[in-house]
Amino acid sequence: MYECLACGYESPKWLGKCPSCGAWNQMEEKPADIVAAEGKDQINVQTSKQRQEGSALKLDEIEYTQEDRMSTDFQEFDRVLGGGVVEGSLVLIGGDPGIGKSTLLLQVAMQLAQKQKILYVTGEESFSQIKIRAERLELNNDNFYLLADTNLALIAREIQRLEPDMVVVDSIQTMSIPDHTGVAGSVSQVREATAILMRIAKSNRIAIFIVGHVTKEGNIAGPRMLEHMVDTVLYFEGEKHNRFRVLRAVKNRFGSTNELGVFEMLDVGLKEVGNPSQLFLEERILGATGSTVVAALEGTRTILAEVQSLMTPTVYGTAKRTASGIDYQRISLLLAVMEKHCGLLVQNQDAFFKITGGIKLDEPAIDLAIAMSIASSYWNKPTQVDDCYIGEIGLTGEIRRVSQIEERLKETAKLGFKRVFIPKNNYQDLKDVFDIEIVPVKTIQEAVRKVFPR
């Protein structure tokens, strides 16, 4: 049989394109599963019988208990998880090779080992390698147990013997089930190994963290259903040559998604960053053109980030557009709006955009800051260093309302900014008085006139 690595679709012959998910060159050969017909019928009968014995409950008849959480003493890590590690949860963490996934989980496990029993399972490193890393990070604890094995049957037996409070599996692609078809890392092995770990976590109330490799596109390797099976999916992001790392939650059954935790990679391990806005803005140059600041919302946290743009005359027939940390389609849209409503001739200009610090912003409120950086670089006029810009821009040039404006203004005033441009509709809804000059704008033309007076 041939099985799709992306979705698990099976076919008796090799196909270049998967008919289920449309992925190219993802069909992998594997031995065909042989199941006895009578055994299959027996499973179906048991499932049907269990379904008949079950009964539905009214909503007010269900007893609800608040889930127990374990604090890791890493406030950034706890915030992303929704307040701490939930007992019996299955958490998947992915990221590029060398980004620091194993270092992060080793530090978290050592912190929890001060009051809980922790089992760290590694299928990629030896005992001595983990020991060297722990000594480099100056970590040691008597409640920390280490197991270097890839046989999931032996790992499950060791979990049953130790009865730990938390288990770390690094990584799920190296785990193998002896009696199951396929090699370690194949779709069937990864899927079945995750299902076994999920049953262990739910039945024994053990929090399990599994590390997942990522593909060239940045997605977690293996079947897409892997992300649906787990309770929480975390992505550990950041440029390899940048000291900042960002932990982002894209799925969380026990908290809000799109939460963000910022860490700094040092020679002694990862250090949490309590005020990332200050670090992202500390290297701004006074009087630089094409530089603006935006108060962006990441989950429940407001982060002030610097938006940089560079406009230069093109030397080719077609203008070049490059964006780092911003969606390319948003850049194209804002360039068209600025040319249509503000008279900027950008069709013969190469445009380069960047969000400093290695973070990615994708919310609508960053539009106004991007537009002002475009105008600043195009006219070669610097913006004031203590100005901040918040607002969404529509195709007709209007500045639209954004959410949670008061939280953004509080963070802006706390970092010492003197003036902030916000949508006029948000200004009418403000209830608190802020120690900062607030400039309401209704259109992009009005904002350009106030920022760059002729």
Side-chain angles (χ1 to χ4, degrees), residues 83-329:
V85 181
V86 179
E87 293 183 1
S89 62
L90 185 62
V91 181
L92 173 64
I93 177 170
D96 294 331
I99 205 69
K101 302 184 297 296
S102 301
T103 302
L104 174 66
L105 289 178
L106 182 60
Q107 288 185 245
V108 170
M110 283 293 188
Q111 287 282 356
L112 281 174
Q114 297 178 4
K115 47 192 173 182
Q116 308 284 349
K117 186 185 291 187
I118 308 299
L119 175 62
Y120 191 100
V121 181
T122 175
E124 300 178 344
E125 297 176 290
S126 62
F127 286 109
S128 59
Q129 287 175 306
I130 300 295
K131 177 69 174 178
I132 291 172
R133 178 182 296 164
E135 289 182 349
R136 178 173 57 86
L137 302 177
E138 299 179 355
L139 300 175
N140 191 16
N141 203 291
D142 293 336
N143 285 332
F144 182 83
Y145 294 84
L146 183 61
L147 175 63
D149 206 325
T150 59
N151 190 329
L152 199 58
L154 298 177
I155 295 171
R157 191 183 311 158
E158 192 67 12
I159 293 175
Q160 186 177 4
R161 184 184 70 86
L162 288 176
E163 297 182 354
D165 296 291
M166 191 183 90
V167 177
V168 177
V169 178
D170 186 11
S171 66
I172 190 63
Q173 277 81 11
T174 61
M175 297 295 113
S176 62
I177 306 170
D179 298 334
H180 201 273
T181 59
V183 298
S186 63
V187 172
S188 57
Q189 285 275 0
V190 171
R191 183 172 56 220
E192 187 62 27
T194 305
I196 292 174
L197 291 174
M198 182 174 63
R199 289 196 293 269
I200 294 174
K202 302 301 180 185
S203 59
N204 299 291
R205 302 293 297 172
I206 299 174
I208 298 181
F209 285 80
I210 55 177
V211 176
H213 294 164
V214 296
T215 61
K216 292 184 295 184
E217 292 79 14
N219 301 319
I220 295 179
R224 293 295 297 177
M225 68 181 66
L226 188 64
E227 299 186 21
H228 297 285
M229 295 170 66
V230 300
D231 296 314
T232 305
V233 179
L234 307 178
Y235 276 90
F236 203 41
E237 305 170 346
E239 299 176 4
K240 188 179 295 186
H241 304 291
N242 195 322
R243 71 179 191 270
F244 293 117
R245 301 288 187 268
V246 176
L247 184 66
R248 189 188 304 270
V250 296
K251 174 191 175 182
N252 193 353
R253 289 175 178 162
F254 306 107
S256 62
T257 57
N258 296 322
E259 282 288 358
L260 193 74
V262 183
F263 297 86
E264 185 178 5
M265 177 64 80
L266 304 173
D267 55 349
V268 293
L270 288 163
K271 177 184 177 183
E272 55 183 345
V273 179
N275 190 359
S277 301
Q278 188 173 1
L279 287 177
F280 293 153
L281 302 177
E282 66 182 2
E283 298 179 3
R284 292 190 70 200
I285 299 177
L286 185 64
T289 61
S291 172
T292 56
V293 175
V294 59
L297 208 62
E298 291 290 342
T300 58
R301 154 183 274 177
T302 301
I303 292 181
L304 270 68
E306 182 184 0
V307 179
Q308 294 181 346
S309 66
L310 179 63
M311 309 289 293
T312 58
T314 182
V315 294
Y316 303 102
T318 304
K320 187 178 181 180
R321 307 281 189 258
T322 303
S324 174
I326 315 175
D327 183 33
Y328 177 80
Q329 301 296 333

Side-chain angles (χ1 to χ4, degrees), residues 38-52:
E38 54 271 11
K40 188 174 181 180
D41 293 337
Q42 186 178 1
I43 292 174
N44 290 336
V45 168
Q46 289 180 353
T47 305
S48 176
K49 186 177 180 181
Q50 290 174 357
R51 196 170 294 170
Q52 291 175 0

